Amino acid sequence: MADKQDYYETLGLSKGAGADEIKKAYRQMAKKYHPDMNPGNAEAEQKFKEINEAYAVLSDPDKKSQYDQYGHAAFDQSTGYGAGGFGGFGDFDMGDIFSSFFGGGFGGGSRSQSRANAPIPGDDIGVRVILSFEEAVFGCKKEVSYARVQKCDDCSGSGAKKGTSPEKCTKCGGSGTVRVQQRTAFGMMQSTRACPDCNGTGKIIKTPCDNCRGKGYVKVNKKLEVTIPAGIDDGQRIALRSQGNEGRNGGAAGDLVIQVAVRPHPIFERDGYDVYCEVPITFAEAALGAKIKIPTLEGQMDYDIPEGTQTGTMFTIRQKGISAVNSRAKGNLYVKVVVETPKSLSEEQKKILRNFADSCGEKNFSKKSSFFSKFKK
């Protein structure tokens, strides 16, 4: 037991990990090291058994509690803790012993066979789609290309050449497991292991399919037209169910996950479903008030600004923002006006402005007067 790896480490977890973390880690690692995904790989097969053993303990609250308290000694017959302090001699079936602790994970052939041929869900596939600002606002259709793993058409996923079929493994009788006897200090013990001839699948392919070389699955390039909903934002994702890699042994297919990237707009800035923009106006328009043109997502519109408008004033135009995805709600358009100071004035123009400034006096510049009054105080 001293050389046995910690169950938490086996699943790549820290001690005390919660049930959800344990389940997620097991799912990822079991898919990675499953014998069907690693045919003929003895190292992956051993890792798969270790992962299942660790999960069988850590997923059971009672067994996890025993393990957290005593470690591997909780399931070691030689310590007095394992198997309720069992310490007899004779011929024992390790499959039966482990079955009592691990819910049959190392037990009889039928359960091992069901595990070896259990459904494996397919992986998700991620693709990136770049949209213009307008495409994101109003929605569009985009064609995406990606590579997908799916059943071989020639053999329908069996791995056997057309006209032939996989045969039941004679070594394990199709169970996917074999029992091995080993003499120990406690007598002859039996343990259940994945069949070395069929790698735990219970089947032998004598004539592999030429197209998939016996794997049963091939990678194909696909194109798909995707509807981008109006209102989608940069960084959001769209999941197309069952368009990812196909599962194995009847497992569900993964999803095609599309991540959206939106190019910036030269005028508009987006915040959720609201849109912001800056509109330059002249000094005369700000002072006298005016009907100005402002941009909206649908085109230009006229808008009246009052006389005496200050630079930086924000005007709100309701319901002129972006429509929420799958909703009737709509954001607002916020227009910030910026007074543009004229440059390169002629002497005549400068003279007119000086006369104008002299005629205004202090009363027309209340903010300036207030500012210097506060400064003096």
PDB file of all heavy atoms in Angstrom, residues 41-76:
ATOM      1  N   ASN A  41      -2.766   0.025 -25.781  1.00  0.00           N
ATOM      2  CA  ASN A  41      -1.911   0.832 -24.908  1.00  0.00           C
ATOM      3  C   ASN A  41      -2.053   0.330 -23.477  1.00  0.00           C
ATOM      4  O   ASN A  41      -3.017   0.657 -22.781  1.00  0.00           O
ATOM      5  CB  ASN A  41      -2.311   2.313 -25.003  1.00  0.00           C
ATOM      6  CG  ASN A  41      -1.335   3.222 -24.277  1.00  0.00           C
ATOM      7  OD1 ASN A  41      -0.691   2.830 -23.308  1.00  0.00           O
ATOM      8  ND2 ASN A  41      -1.233   4.453 -24.750  1.00  0.00           N
ATOM      9  N   ALA A  42      -1.085  -0.484 -23.039  1.00  0.00           N
ATOM     10  CA  ALA A  42      -1.156  -1.083 -21.701  1.00  0.00           C
ATOM     11  C   ALA A  42      -1.079  -0.027 -20.605  1.00  0.00           C
ATOM     12  O   ALA A  42      -1.718  -0.153 -19.561  1.00  0.00           O
ATOM     13  CB  ALA A  42      -0.029  -2.105 -21.534  1.00  0.00           C
ATOM     14  N   GLU A  43      -0.305   1.012 -20.841  1.00  0.00           N
ATOM     15  CA  GLU A  43      -0.169   2.075 -19.836  1.00  0.00           C
ATOM     16  C   GLU A  43      -1.491   2.811 -19.624  1.00  0.00           C
ATOM     17  O   GLU A  43      -1.886   3.088 -18.490  1.00  0.00           O
ATOM     18  CB  GLU A  43       0.914   3.060 -20.276  1.00  0.00           C
ATOM     19  CG  GLU A  43       1.236   4.124 -19.230  1.00  0.00           C
ATOM     20  CD  GLU A  43       2.360   5.055 -19.662  1.00  0.00           C
ATOM     21  OE1 GLU A  43       3.089   4.691 -20.610  1.00  0.00           O
ATOM     22  OE2 GLU A  43       2.508   6.122 -19.056  1.00  0.00           O
ATOM     23  N   ALA A  44      -2.188   3.106 -20.732  1.00  0.00           N
ATOM     24  CA  ALA A  44      -3.487   3.776 -20.633  1.00  0.00           C
ATOM     25  C   ALA A  44      -4.507   2.863 -19.965  1.00  0.00           C
ATOM     26  O   ALA A  44      -5.357   3.309 -19.186  1.00  0.00           O
ATOM     27  CB  ALA A  44      -3.968   4.179 -22.027  1.00  0.00           C
ATOM     28  N   GLU A  45      -4.425   1.568 -20.253  1.00  0.00           N
ATOM     29  CA  GLU A  45      -5.342   0.594 -19.650  1.00  0.00           C
ATOM     30  C   GLU A  45      -5.161   0.568 -18.129  1.00  0.00           C
ATOM     31  O   GLU A  45      -6.131   0.560 -17.368  1.00  0.00           O
ATOM     32  CB  GLU A  45      -5.067  -0.783 -20.241  1.00  0.00           C
ATOM     33  CG  GLU A  45      -5.953  -1.890 -19.660  1.00  0.00           C
ATOM     34  CD  GLU A  45      -5.566  -3.243 -20.213  1.00  0.00           C
ATOM     35  OE1 GLU A  45      -5.027  -3.308 -21.342  1.00  0.00           O
ATOM     36  OE2 GLU A  45      -5.791  -4.243 -19.501  1.00  0.00           O
ATOM     37  N   GLN A  46      -3.887   0.565 -17.675  1.00  0.00           N
ATOM     38  CA  GLN A  46      -3.620   0.564 -16.241  1.00  0.00           C
ATOM     39  C   GLN A  46      -4.111   1.861 -15.600  1.00  0.00           C
ATOM     40  O   GLN A  46      -4.696   1.852 -14.517  1.00  0.00           O
ATOM     41  CB  GLN A  46      -2.111   0.396 -16.010  1.00  0.00           C
ATOM     42  CG  GLN A  46      -1.698   0.405 -14.539  1.00  0.00           C
ATOM     43  CD  GLN A  46      -2.339  -0.725 -13.735  1.00  0.00           C
ATOM     44  OE1 GLN A  46      -2.586  -1.811 -14.262  1.00  0.00           O
ATOM     45  NE2 GLN A  46      -2.606  -0.481 -12.461  1.00  0.00           N
ATOM     46  N   LYS A  47      -3.887   2.959 -16.300  1.00  0.00           N
ATOM     47  CA  LYS A  47      -4.333   4.260 -15.786  1.00  0.00           C
ATOM     48  C   LYS A  47      -5.853   4.290 -15.677  1.00  0.00           C
ATOM     49  O   LYS A  47      -6.410   4.819 -14.715  1.00  0.00           O
ATOM     50  CB  LYS A  47      -3.846   5.362 -16.724  1.00  0.00           C
ATOM     51  CG  LYS A  47      -4.163   6.774 -16.247  1.00  0.00           C
ATOM     52  CD  LYS A  47      -3.344   7.172 -15.036  1.00  0.00           C
ATOM     53  CE  LYS A  47      -3.566   8.623 -14.667  1.00  0.00           C
ATOM     54  NZ  LYS A  47      -2.867   9.014 -13.437  1.00  0.00           N
ATOM     55  N   PHE A  48      -6.528   3.712 -16.646  1.00  0.00           N
ATOM     56  CA  PHE A  48      -7.997   3.674 -16.642  1.00  0.00           C
ATOM     57  C   PHE A  48      -8.511   2.900 -15.431  1.00  0.00           C
ATOM     58  O   PHE A  48      -9.476   3.309 -14.775  1.00  0.00           O
ATOM     59  CB  PHE A  48      -8.495   3.022 -17.937  1.00  0.00           C
ATOM     60  CG  PHE A  48      -9.992   2.990 -18.062  1.00  0.00           C
ATOM     61  CD1 PHE A  48     -10.712   4.145 -18.301  1.00  0.00           C
ATOM     62  CD2 PHE A  48     -10.687   1.782 -17.934  1.00  0.00           C
ATOM     63  CE1 PHE A  48     -12.098   4.107 -18.420  1.00  0.00           C
ATOM     64  CE2 PHE A  48     -12.064   1.745 -18.046  1.00  0.00           C
ATOM     65  CZ  PHE A  48     -12.765   2.904 -18.291  1.00  0.00           C
ATOM     66  N   LYS A  49      -7.846   1.789 -15.105  1.00  0.00           N
ATOM     67  CA  LYS A  49      -8.255   1.010 -13.932  1.00  0.00           C
ATOM     68  C   LYS A  49      -8.025   1.794 -12.648  1.00  0.00           C
ATOM     69  O   LYS A  49      -8.853   1.779 -11.732  1.00  0.00           O
ATOM     70  CB  LYS A  49      -7.473  -0.313 -13.894  1.00  0.00           C
ATOM     71  CG  LYS A  49      -7.909  -1.307 -14.968  1.00  0.00           C
ATOM     72  CD  LYS A  49      -7.341  -2.687 -14.737  1.00  0.00           C
ATOM     73  CE  LYS A  49      -5.835  -2.716 -14.953  1.00  0.00           C
ATOM     74  NZ  LYS A  49      -5.288  -4.086 -14.810  1.00  0.00           N
ATOM     75  N   GLU A  50      -6.901   2.514 -12.582  1.00  0.00           N
ATOM     76  CA  GLU A  50      -6.618   3.309 -11.386  1.00  0.00           C
ATOM     77  C   GLU A  50      -7.635   4.432 -11.211  1.00  0.00           C
ATOM     78  O   GLU A  50      -8.067   4.728 -10.093  1.00  0.00           O
ATOM     79  CB  GLU A  50      -5.203   3.897 -11.487  1.00  0.00           C
ATOM     80  CG  GLU A  50      -4.101   2.842 -11.419  1.00  0.00           C
ATOM     81  CD  GLU A  50      -2.724   3.428 -11.741  1.00  0.00           C
ATOM     82  OE1 GLU A  50      -2.656   4.650 -12.037  1.00  0.00           O
ATOM     83  OE2 GLU A  50      -1.732   2.679 -11.694  1.00  0.00           O
ATOM     84  N   ILE A  51      -8.024   5.028 -12.316  1.00  0.00           N
ATOM     85  CA  ILE A  51      -9.009   6.114 -12.277  1.00  0.00           C
ATOM     86  C   ILE A  51     -10.354   5.594 -11.771  1.00  0.00           C
ATOM     87  O   ILE A  51     -11.010   6.206 -10.929  1.00  0.00           O
ATOM     88  CB  ILE A  51      -9.162   6.742 -13.676  1.00  0.00           C
ATOM     89  CG1 ILE A  51      -7.899   7.498 -14.059  1.00  0.00           C
ATOM     90  CG2 ILE A  51     -10.373   7.676 -13.733  1.00  0.00           C
ATOM     91  CD1 ILE A  51      -7.820   7.820 -15.538  1.00  0.00           C
ATOM     92  N   ASN A  52     -10.762   4.448 -12.276  1.00  0.00           N
ATOM     93  CA  ASN A  52     -12.039   3.858 -11.849  1.00  0.00           C
ATOM     94  C   ASN A  52     -12.005   3.465 -10.379  1.00  0.00           C
ATOM     95  O   ASN A  52     -12.981   3.635  -9.646  1.00  0.00           O
ATOM     96  CB  ASN A  52     -12.381   2.643 -12.718  1.00  0.00           C
ATOM     97  CG  ASN A  52     -13.051   3.039 -14.009  1.00  0.00           C
ATOM     98  OD1 ASN A  52     -14.257   3.287 -14.047  1.00  0.00           O
ATOM     99  ND2 ASN A  52     -12.272   3.122 -15.066  1.00  0.00           N
ATOM    100  N   GLU A  53     -10.867   2.938  -9.950  1.00  0.00           N
ATOM    101  CA  GLU A  53     -10.728   2.540  -8.552  1.00  0.00           C
ATOM    102  C   GLU A  53     -10.832   3.763  -7.643  1.00  0.00           C
ATOM    103  O   GLU A  53     -11.531   3.753  -6.627  1.00  0.00           O
ATOM    104  CB  GLU A  53      -9.382   1.839  -8.346  1.00  0.00           C
ATOM    105  CG  GLU A  53      -9.147   1.401  -6.904  1.00  0.00           C
ATOM    106  CD  GLU A  53      -7.795   0.719  -6.715  1.00  0.00           C
ATOM    107  OE1 GLU A  53      -7.251   0.196  -7.710  1.00  0.00           O
ATOM    108  OE2 GLU A  53      -7.291   0.730  -5.595  1.00  0.00           O
ATOM    109  N   ALA A  54     -10.139   4.844  -8.048  1.00  0.00           N
ATOM    110  CA  ALA A  54     -10.173   6.069  -7.241  1.00  0.00           C
ATOM    111  C   ALA A  54     -11.574   6.660  -7.193  1.00  0.00           C
ATOM    112  O   ALA A  54     -12.063   7.065  -6.132  1.00  0.00           O
ATOM    113  CB  ALA A  54      -9.189   7.088  -7.805  1.00  0.00           C
ATOM    114  N   TYR A  55     -12.246   6.667  -8.335  1.00  0.00           N
ATOM    115  CA  TYR A  55     -13.590   7.264  -8.386  1.00  0.00           C
ATOM    116  C   TYR A  55     -14.598   6.435  -7.595  1.00  0.00           C
ATOM    117  O   TYR A  55     -15.493   6.979  -6.939  1.00  0.00           O
ATOM    118  CB  TYR A  55     -14.048   7.380  -9.844  1.00  0.00           C
ATOM    119  CG  TYR A  55     -15.423   7.992  -9.984  1.00  0.00           C
ATOM    120  CD1 TYR A  55     -15.631   9.336  -9.659  1.00  0.00           C
ATOM    121  CD2 TYR A  55     -16.503   7.233 -10.417  1.00  0.00           C
ATOM    122  CE1 TYR A  55     -16.894   9.906  -9.787  1.00  0.00           C
ATOM    123  CE2 TYR A  55     -17.760   7.794 -10.541  1.00  0.00           C
ATOM    124  CZ  TYR A  55     -17.955   9.131 -10.224  1.00  0.00           C
ATOM    125  OH  TYR A  55     -19.207   9.690 -10.339  1.00  0.00           O
ATOM    126  N   ALA A  56     -14.430   5.111  -7.645  1.00  0.00           N
ATOM    127  CA  ALA A  56     -15.358   4.246  -6.917  1.00  0.00           C
ATOM    128  C   ALA A  56     -15.337   4.536  -5.426  1.00  0.00           C
ATOM    129  O   ALA A  56     -16.351   4.436  -4.737  1.00  0.00           O
ATOM    130  CB  ALA A  56     -15.000   2.778  -7.167  1.00  0.00           C
ATOM    131  N   VAL A  57     -14.183   4.931  -4.915  1.00  0.00           N
ATOM    132  CA  VAL A  57     -14.070   5.259  -3.490  1.00  0.00           C
ATOM    133  C   VAL A  57     -14.534   6.683  -3.222  1.00  0.00           C
ATOM    134  O   VAL A  57     -15.374   6.940  -2.370  1.00  0.00           O
ATOM    135  CB  VAL A  57     -12.608   5.077  -3.015  1.00  0.00           C
ATOM    136  CG1 VAL A  57     -12.455   5.597  -1.586  1.00  0.00           C
ATOM    137  CG2 VAL A  57     -12.227   3.603  -3.067  1.00  0.00           C
ATOM    138  N   LEU A  58     -13.988   7.650  -3.978  1.00  0.00           N
ATOM    139  CA  LEU A  58     -14.238   9.057  -3.676  1.00  0.00           C
ATOM    140  C   LEU A  58     -15.651   9.505  -4.026  1.00  0.00           C
ATOM    141  O   LEU A  58     -16.131  10.514  -3.509  1.00  0.00           O
ATOM    142  CB  LEU A  58     -13.223   9.933  -4.418  1.00  0.00           C
ATOM    143  CG  LEU A  58     -11.760   9.704  -4.042  1.00  0.00           C
ATOM    144  CD1 LEU A  58     -10.858  10.655  -4.815  1.00  0.00           C
ATOM    145  CD2 LEU A  58     -11.541   9.875  -2.541  1.00  0.00           C
ATOM    146  N   SER A  59     -16.345   8.762  -4.887  1.00  0.00           N
ATOM    147  CA  SER A  59     -17.717   9.143  -5.246  1.00  0.00           C
ATOM    148  C   SER A  59     -18.736   8.618  -4.240  1.00  0.00           C
ATOM    149  O   SER A  59     -19.901   9.023  -4.274  1.00  0.00           O
ATOM    150  CB  SER A  59     -18.059   8.614  -6.644  1.00  0.00           C
ATOM    151  OG  SER A  59     -18.015   7.185  -6.663  1.00  0.00           O
ATOM    152  N   ASP A  60     -18.305   7.710  -3.366  1.00  0.00           N
ATOM    153  CA  ASP A  60     -19.194   7.157  -2.340  1.00  0.00           C
ATOM    154  C   ASP A  60     -18.906   7.867  -1.009  1.00  0.00           C
ATOM    155  O   ASP A  60     -17.787   7.778  -0.492  1.00  0.00           O
ATOM    156  CB  ASP A  60     -18.951   5.651  -2.206  1.00  0.00           C
ATOM    157  CG  ASP A  60     -19.945   4.994  -1.250  1.00  0.00           C
ATOM    158  OD1 ASP A  60     -19.978   5.390  -0.059  1.00  0.00           O
ATOM    159  OD2 ASP A  60     -20.670   4.095  -1.684  1.00  0.00           O
ATOM    160  N   PRO A  61     -19.875   8.580  -0.451  1.00  0.00           N
ATOM    161  CA  PRO A  61     -19.624   9.350   0.771  1.00  0.00           C
ATOM    162  C   PRO A  61     -19.044   8.524   1.911  1.00  0.00           C
ATOM    163  O   PRO A  61     -18.129   8.975   2.616  1.00  0.00           O
ATOM    164  CB  PRO A  61     -21.009   9.895   1.135  1.00  0.00           C
ATOM    165  CG  PRO A  61     -21.744   9.943  -0.162  1.00  0.00           C
ATOM    166  CD  PRO A  61     -21.264   8.761  -0.934  1.00  0.00           C
ATOM    167  N   ASP A  62     -19.559   7.287   2.118  1.00  0.00           N
ATOM    168  CA  ASP A  62     -19.061   6.453   3.215  1.00  0.00           C
ATOM    169  C   ASP A  62     -17.619   6.018   2.968  1.00  0.00           C
ATOM    170  O   ASP A  62     -16.764   6.098   3.858  1.00  0.00           O
ATOM    171  CB  ASP A  62     -19.965   5.225   3.386  1.00  0.00           C
ATOM    172  CG  ASP A  62     -21.346   5.613   3.897  1.00  0.00           C
ATOM    173  OD1 ASP A  62     -21.455   6.680   4.545  1.00  0.00           O
ATOM    174  OD2 ASP A  62     -22.296   4.870   3.643  1.00  0.00           O
ATOM    175  N   LYS A  63     -17.351   5.556   1.750  1.00  0.00           N
ATOM    176  CA  LYS A  63     -16.006   5.096   1.440  1.00  0.00           C
ATOM    177  C   LYS A  63     -15.012   6.266   1.435  1.00  0.00           C
ATOM    178  O   LYS A  63     -13.866   6.132   1.864  1.00  0.00           O
ATOM    179  CB  LYS A  63     -15.986   4.391   0.085  1.00  0.00           C
ATOM    180  CG  LYS A  63     -16.835   3.121   0.049  1.00  0.00           C
ATOM    181  CD  LYS A  63     -16.992   2.639  -1.374  1.00  0.00           C
ATOM    182  CE  LYS A  63     -18.083   1.577  -1.470  1.00  0.00           C
ATOM    183  NZ  LYS A  63     -18.423   1.253  -2.857  1.00  0.00           N
ATOM    184  N   LYS A  64     -15.482   7.406   0.945  1.00  0.00           N
ATOM    185  CA  LYS A  64     -14.637   8.597   0.932  1.00  0.00           C
ATOM    186  C   LYS A  64     -14.266   9.008   2.358  1.00  0.00           C
ATOM    187  O   LYS A  64     -13.127   9.379   2.645  1.00  0.00           O
ATOM    188  CB  LYS A  64     -15.353   9.746   0.229  1.00  0.00           C
ATOM    189  CG  LYS A  64     -14.532  11.025   0.111  1.00  0.00           C
ATOM    190  CD  LYS A  64     -15.308  12.062  -0.701  1.00  0.00           C
ATOM    191  CE  LYS A  64     -14.507  13.347  -0.877  1.00  0.00           C
ATOM    192  NZ  LYS A  64     -14.311  14.073   0.370  1.00  0.00           N
ATOM    193  N   SER A  65     -15.241   8.891   3.270  1.00  0.00           N
ATOM    194  CA  SER A  65     -14.991   9.241   4.669  1.00  0.00           C
ATOM    195  C   SER A  65     -13.948   8.311   5.274  1.00  0.00           C
ATOM    196  O   SER A  65     -13.038   8.742   5.994  1.00  0.00           O
ATOM    197  CB  SER A  65     -16.295   9.170   5.466  1.00  0.00           C
ATOM    198  OG  SER A  65     -16.061   9.426   6.826  1.00  0.00           O
ATOM    199  N   GLN A  66     -14.077   6.987   4.972  1.00  0.00           N
ATOM    200  CA  GLN A  66     -13.098   6.021   5.467  1.00  0.00           C
ATOM    201  C   GLN A  66     -11.713   6.320   4.893  1.00  0.00           C
ATOM    202  O   GLN A  66     -10.702   6.281   5.600  1.00  0.00           O
ATOM    203  CB  GLN A  66     -13.518   4.605   5.065  1.00  0.00           C
ATOM    204  CG  GLN A  66     -14.790   4.111   5.749  1.00  0.00           C
ATOM    205  CD  GLN A  66     -15.145   2.719   5.272  1.00  0.00           C
ATOM    206  OE1 GLN A  66     -14.312   1.813   5.255  1.00  0.00           O
ATOM    207  NE2 GLN A  66     -16.399   2.526   4.876  1.00  0.00           N
ATOM    208  N   TYR A  67     -11.692   6.639   3.587  1.00  0.00           N
ATOM    209  CA  TYR A  67     -10.407   6.889   2.938  1.00  0.00           C
ATOM    210  C   TYR A  67      -9.751   8.154   3.488  1.00  0.00           C
ATOM    211  O   TYR A  67      -8.537   8.190   3.717  1.00  0.00           O
ATOM    212  CB  TYR A  67     -10.601   7.019   1.429  1.00  0.00           C
ATOM    213  CG  TYR A  67      -9.314   7.268   0.697  1.00  0.00           C
ATOM    214  CD1 TYR A  67      -8.387   6.250   0.505  1.00  0.00           C
ATOM    215  CD2 TYR A  67      -9.009   8.538   0.213  1.00  0.00           C
ATOM    216  CE1 TYR A  67      -7.184   6.481  -0.150  1.00  0.00           C
ATOM    217  CE2 TYR A  67      -7.817   8.781  -0.443  1.00  0.00           C
ATOM    218  CZ  TYR A  67      -6.906   7.743  -0.621  1.00  0.00           C
ATOM    219  OH  TYR A  67      -5.716   7.978  -1.257  1.00  0.00           O
ATOM    220  N   ASP A  68     -10.563   9.213   3.688  1.00  0.00           N
ATOM    221  CA  ASP A  68     -10.017  10.458   4.226  1.00  0.00           C
ATOM    222  C   ASP A  68      -9.430  10.255   5.619  1.00  0.00           C
ATOM    223  O   ASP A  68      -8.476  10.929   6.012  1.00  0.00           O
ATOM    224  CB  ASP A  68     -11.103  11.534   4.276  1.00  0.00           C
ATOM    225  CG  ASP A  68     -11.490  12.037   2.897  1.00  0.00           C
ATOM    226  OD1 ASP A  68     -10.705  11.813   1.949  1.00  0.00           O
ATOM    227  OD2 ASP A  68     -12.556  12.656   2.751  1.00  0.00           O
ATOM    228  N   GLN A  69      -9.989   9.285   6.376  1.00  0.00           N
ATOM    229  CA  GLN A  69      -9.535   9.044   7.743  1.00  0.00           C
ATOM    230  C   GLN A  69      -8.344   8.095   7.806  1.00  0.00           C
ATOM    231  O   GLN A  69      -7.375   8.332   8.541  1.00  0.00           O
ATOM    232  CB  GLN A  69     -10.690   8.488   8.588  1.00  0.00           C
ATOM    233  CG  GLN A  69     -10.356   8.354  10.070  1.00  0.00           C
ATOM    234  CD  GLN A  69     -11.565   7.957  10.905  1.00  0.00           C
ATOM    235  OE1 GLN A  69     -12.638   7.726  10.375  1.00  0.00           O
ATOM    236  NE2 GLN A  69     -11.387   7.887  12.207  1.00  0.00           N
ATOM    237  N   TYR A  70      -8.422   7.008   7.012  1.00  0.00           N
ATOM    238  CA  TYR A  70      -7.394   5.956   7.127  1.00  0.00           C
ATOM    239  C   TYR A  70      -6.509   5.808   5.888  1.00  0.00           C
ATOM    240  O   TYR A  70      -5.536   5.055   5.908  1.00  0.00           O
ATOM    241  CB  TYR A  70      -8.055   4.603   7.407  1.00  0.00           C
ATOM    242  CG  TYR A  70      -8.874   4.585   8.675  1.00  0.00           C
ATOM    243  CD1 TYR A  70     -10.257   4.476   8.623  1.00  0.00           C
ATOM    244  CD2 TYR A  70      -8.261   4.669   9.929  1.00  0.00           C
ATOM    245  CE1 TYR A  70     -11.018   4.453   9.774  1.00  0.00           C
ATOM    246  CE2 TYR A  70      -9.014   4.645  11.085  1.00  0.00           C
ATOM    247  CZ  TYR A  70     -10.400   4.538  11.022  1.00  0.00           C
ATOM    248  OH  TYR A  70     -11.148   4.521  12.162  1.00  0.00           O
ATOM    249  N   GLY A  71      -6.866   6.497   4.784  1.00  0.00           N
ATOM    250  CA  GLY A  71      -6.109   6.318   3.557  1.00  0.00           C
ATOM    251  C   GLY A  71      -6.366   4.951   2.955  1.00  0.00           C
ATOM    252  O   GLY A  71      -7.427   4.337   3.167  1.00  0.00           O
ATOM    253  N   HIS A  72      -5.383   4.410   2.246  1.00  0.00           N
ATOM    254  CA  HIS A  72      -5.545   3.103   1.603  1.00  0.00           C
ATOM    255  C   HIS A  72      -5.712   1.976   2.623  1.00  0.00           C
ATOM    256  O   HIS A  72      -6.232   0.908   2.293  1.00  0.00           O
ATOM    257  CB  HIS A  72      -4.344   2.815   0.694  1.00  0.00           C
ATOM    258  CG  HIS A  72      -4.293   3.686  -0.516  1.00  0.00           C
ATOM    259  ND1 HIS A  72      -5.265   3.687  -1.477  1.00  0.00           N
ATOM    260  CD2 HIS A  72      -3.370   4.614  -0.907  1.00  0.00           C
ATOM    261  CE1 HIS A  72      -4.951   4.555  -2.417  1.00  0.00           C
ATOM    262  NE2 HIS A  72      -3.802   5.142  -2.093  1.00  0.00           N
ATOM    263  N   ALA A  73      -5.281   2.227   3.846  1.00  0.00           N
ATOM    264  CA  ALA A  73      -5.406   1.197   4.880  1.00  0.00           C
ATOM    265  C   ALA A  73      -6.861   0.830   5.141  1.00  0.00           C
ATOM    266  O   ALA A  73      -7.166  -0.257   5.630  1.00  0.00           O
ATOM    267  CB  ALA A  73      -4.755   1.679   6.181  1.00  0.00           C
ATOM    268  N   ALA A  74      -7.778   1.752   4.786  1.00  0.00           N
ATOM    269  CA  ALA A  74      -9.198   1.478   4.997  1.00  0.00           C
ATOM    270  C   ALA A  74      -9.664   0.293   4.171  1.00  0.00           C
ATOM    271  O   ALA A  74     -10.664  -0.354   4.499  1.00  0.00           O
ATOM    272  CB  ALA A  74     -10.025   2.716   4.651  1.00  0.00           C
ATOM    273  N   PHE A  75      -8.940  -0.024   3.086  1.00  0.00           N
ATOM    274  CA  PHE A  75      -9.349  -1.110   2.202  1.00  0.00           C
ATOM    275  C   PHE A  75      -8.265  -2.183   2.072  1.00  0.00           C
ATOM    276  O   PHE A  75      -8.243  -2.942   1.114  1.00  0.00           O
ATOM    277  CB  PHE A  75      -9.701  -0.534   0.822  1.00  0.00           C
ATOM    278  CG  PHE A  75     -10.633   0.642   0.904  1.00  0.00           C
ATOM    279  CD1 PHE A  75     -10.159   1.926   0.669  1.00  0.00           C
ATOM    280  CD2 PHE A  75     -11.954   0.471   1.269  1.00  0.00           C
ATOM    281  CE1 PHE A  75     -11.001   3.010   0.780  1.00  0.00           C
ATOM    282  CE2 PHE A  75     -12.799   1.547   1.379  1.00  0.00           C
ATOM    283  CZ  PHE A  75     -12.334   2.820   1.139  1.00  0.00           C
ATOM    284  N   ASP A  76      -7.352  -2.195   3.018  1.00  0.00           N
ATOM    285  CA  ASP A  76      -6.264  -3.178   3.023  1.00  0.00           C
ATOM    286  C   ASP A  76      -6.537  -4.211   4.111  1.00  0.00           C
ATOM    287  O   ASP A  76      -6.553  -3.906   5.299  1.00  0.00           O
ATOM    288  CB  ASP A  76      -4.933  -2.460   3.276  1.00  0.00           C
ATOM    289  CG  ASP A  76      -3.754  -3.424   3.224  1.00  0.00           C
ATOM    290  OD1 ASP A  76      -3.977  -4.603   2.889  1.00  0.00           O
ATOM    291  OD2 ASP A  76      -2.627  -2.984   3.523  1.00  0.00           O
TER     292      ASP A  76
END
